[in-house]
Each structure stands twice: as C-alpha cells, then as structure tokens.
Amino acid sequence: RNKAYWKDHNWRYQTYIYPFLKDDYVDEITTPRLMQWQRWRQDKRLVSDILHVGELKKEYTVIFQILKFAQELGYIDHLPTKPRTVLRQLASSKNEPSRATFTTEEYKHLLSVSRKRIAEAKHLVDNPPKTGGGYPKILRDRRYLHYFIIFLAHTGVRPGEATRIKHLNVKKVKSKDDKKCHLSVWIKGKKTDRKILGKYGSYFAYLGLCENICPNHKPEDLVFPRIPVGGLRALVIDADLRYTQNGDRRDSKSFRHFYIMTGLAQKTSPKAMSVQCDVSPTIMKNHYERHATVDLFKEDLLKVVDFQSP
C-alpha cells in the first residue's frame, strides 16, 4: 500500500535482473537459466563477500512475480522450479539475523540525546550566530524525529503504517492519571486494517507534535508524512547507538522491535501483542521470542536475594 513500494522492486529489476535477462523471452527462463543468472548475480555484489540469502530471496520474488503474470497472460504454461541450492539456503534455520532493538537504558539514553539536540537547535533559533542559517528547520526536524520515535516505541506500529495515519484516525483518551492517558488509532496495516492502542508516551508525543509541528492541521492531513531516515541515522550515531552489541544496524523498525520485546519481558499476553502488532503468534515466537536477551530481564536476573541460614 505504500506509494513507494514499487521503487524497491523496480530498483532490483533494473540493477540485477534486466541486465542479464533482457534478451530472454519468458519461456526461456528455465531453472538452468536461473542458475546462470544466480552465478552472474554472485559476481555483482556491492559490499559483502557473499550474496546474502535475504537479498537473493527478494530478487527471486521479483522474477517470479513477472513469470506469474506471464503465465496469467498465457505466454508460459508453468513456472520454473527454483534451483535446489536456493531452496536449501532459504530453508536453512542457521543463525537467522536478529532483530536490532534497544534495551530500556539505551532507549532512555537515545531520548536524552534527542532532547539535548532539540535544546541546542532551539538555542540557535533564539540566538542565531552571524554565520549559518536554517536553524528553525533544524529545530522542527529534530522535534518531528523525537515525536516519531516515541510514537513508534509506544505503539509498535510499522514505520510504513505510521506514515499512513491521518489525524482523523487518532482519538485522544484523557485521564486524570497521566499514565492512563492513551491513544486509540485506526491503522491501515500491512496485512489487515486494525485499531491499536498507544501507551501514554504516544499520547503526549502526539500532543507535542500537534502543538509544535502542525498546529493548524486538518483531519485529512497525515500525522507523520515521512520517515525521518537521515535524522534518525544522525541521532543514533550521535548517541553511539548505531549498532547493537552483535553488530546489527538499528533503524526505524528497531522501535517496533523494542515495543514487542519490552511487551514480552513485561509478560503482556501474546494474543494481545499479536492483535496490536498484526503478527501471528507463530511469527511472534519464531522471530521475536527467540531473540530475547538477558538485557530484557536484567532486573530479575540481578535481583539480590538475602539468604538466611536455617
């Protein structure tokens, strides 16, 4: 549903598929031909020493989408079989990449650095130096990023889902107890449309966004029109949190993982997490619970028990 969804597929097609298969008819793309393409593709890698299975899988997705369309039009009778080497790789359960997330301490530190950067930008707006400029935009961008981070970390929505939320989809639920204030948000999801509940942090982040970023917004306006990729990269680097301890790179998806992993640590109902985050219980178990680390249970594991002699 994302308007930019096609760009990733098109880039893979133009870069790694069309250059090799441009002179082939669709009925000539057989399993042996795919093996030839795969060997050619191995030599076209840009950074890593090996062709990662995840990238190969995405490119095969593009190829087979084209072949399925050709089959629907009657140009081919059946689809070729994926090479066995690929099937073995895709079926392998060895060391799946972990989900880059934050510990609670890291998340608090990130917000602390974010507030510091906002304060620095505000100081430059109030006391502009003789050289340089654009400080109001810098302040606005840093505030937007701050609210975006808190919203993701307190709702668990996908970054792409957040960019489809309109102000009319957001309902503020106020309470005398600040921690019971929350948001009720209608989401146009990746798989299904659904209503989600945002914790109190998202409530106050949304208030701050409306006050400082879009005070004159209309109901049809998007709450988060864009994902602040560059700003987030600068922030996590500034906070020395670009990479996890095992080397995984953090991005905007890491806040969804933070929400889910924190929920698991707090023993939130798996069913509730599944409905909130639009993931099946199987995915929750295989792709999140398996990456639980001791950091999530730090307080329990470091709890000191005063043993008494009998």
Side-chain angles (χ1 to χ4, degrees):
R1 298 199 188 184
N2 193 312
K3 293 180 180 179
Y5 173 76
W6 65 274
K7 291 183 179 179
D8 183 57
H9 284 338
N10 185 60
W11 177 82
R12 294 180 190 284
Y13 173 76
Q14 297 291 346
T15 308
Y16 294 126
I17 300 172
Y18 177 75
F20 184 81
L21 298 172
K22 61 183 178 181
D23 295 326
D24 291 59
Y25 290 103
V26 287
D27 60 352
E28 297 173 336
I29 302 177
T30 60
T31 301
R33 186 61 173 157
L34 290 176
M35 281 298 299
Q36 293 172 1
W37 167 77
Q38 189 175 321
R39 285 192 289 269
W40 172 87
R41 174 66 180 89
Q42 171 70 18
D43 296 330
K44 295 297 179 181
R45 59 188 183 279
L46 298 178
V47 180
S48 62
D49 294 331
I50 62 172
L51 176 58
H52 289 291
V53 175
E55 293 302 308
L56 192 61
K57 180 179 179 180
K58 293 175 183 177
E59 288 156 26
Y60 266 116
T61 296
V62 177
I63 291 174
F64 274 81
Q65 282 182 343
I66 295 171
L67 293 177
K68 285 178 182 178
F69 185 56
Q71 185 182 31
E72 291 173 1
L73 295 177
Y75 296 141
I76 56 177
D77 295 327
H78 60 274
L79 299 176
T81 303
K82 288 183 181 178
R84 288 196 305 166
T85 54
V86 179
L87 295 176
R88 282 199 298 268
Q89 286 177 308
L90 297 182
S92 174
S93 60
K94 286 186 176 180
N95 299 325
E96 290 185 23
S98 61
R99 308 258 174 168
T101 183
F102 297 89
T103 65
T104 302
E105 290 81 2
E106 288 171 337
Y107 175 69
K108 290 179 179 178
H109 174 62
L110 185 71
L111 291 186
S112 175
V113 174
S114 179
R115 293 187 188 97
K116 180 182 177 182
R117 285 161 55 87
I118 291 172
E120 290 172 350
K122 190 174 187 308
H123 177 75
L124 291 173
V125 170
D126 297 337
N127 305 278
K130 294 181 180 180
T131 59
Y135 302 115
K137 182 180 184 304
I138 293 174
L139 175 60
R140 177 186 174 87
D141 288 346
R142 290 183 177 181
R143 280 175 167 167
Y144 178 92
L145 171 63
H146 190 77
Y147 301 138
F148 184 75
I149 287 173
I150 297 175
F151 186 87
L152 293 186
H154 283 250
T155 60
V157 301
R158 299 176 179 89
E161 292 175 338
T163 61
R164 293 194 289 269
I165 300 171
K166 298 179 180 180
H167 286 278
L168 61 84
N169 301 137
V170 181
K171 178 182 178 182
K172 302 188 293 291
V173 182
K174 191 175 182 180
S175 173
K176 292 181 180 180
D177 182 354
D178 283 351
K179 290 191 175 182
K180 290 185 178 180
C181 293
H182 63 277
L183 296 179
S184 174
V185 187
W186 185 256
I187 301 289
K188 290 184 178 179
K190 179 180 178 180
K191 299 177 182 178
T192 59
D193 296 346
R194 68 192 189 281
K195 184 175 81 170
I196 63 102
L197 299 178
K199 297 178 183 178
Y200 73 97
S202 64
Y203 176 90
F204 292 102
Y206 180 69
L207 292 183
L209 179 87
C210 293
E211 179 181 353
N212 297 302
I213 305 299
C214 51
N216 301 314
H217 67 268
K218 298 176 181 178
E220 288 289 339
D221 290 343
L222 294 171
V223 176
F224 297 105
R226 59 185 175 83
I227 298 175
V229 177
L232 178 58
R233 183 189 304 114
L235 174 60
V236 293
I237 291 175
D238 195 10
D240 195 24
L241 292 173
R242 178 59 165 162
Y243 296 94
T244 64
Q245 190 173 2
N246 64 347
D248 292 316
R249 187 172 60 187
R250 295 184 174 102
D251 55 22
S252 57
K253 294 180 182 178
S254 299
F255 299 105
R256 171 176 166 85
H257 306 329
F258 170 75
Y259 175 90
I260 294 175
M261 300 301 282
T262 303
L264 293 174
Q266 295 173 345
K267 296 181 174 58
T268 304
S269 162
K271 178 63 176 177
M273 294 287 289
S274 177
V275 174
Q276 171 84 1
C277 299
D278 189 27
V279 292
S280 70
T282 301
I283 295 294
M284 189 71 68
K285 180 177 181 180
N286 294 341
H287 294 278
Y288 289 99
E289 286 186 3
R290 67 183 297 270
H291 294 304
T293 66
V294 293
D295 293 314
L296 293 174
F297 310 98
K298 186 175 181 180
E299 292 184 6
D300 291 336
L301 292 172
L302 296 181
K303 187 182 297 182
V304 177
V305 179
D306 185 16
F307 294 101
Q308 296 181 353
S309 301

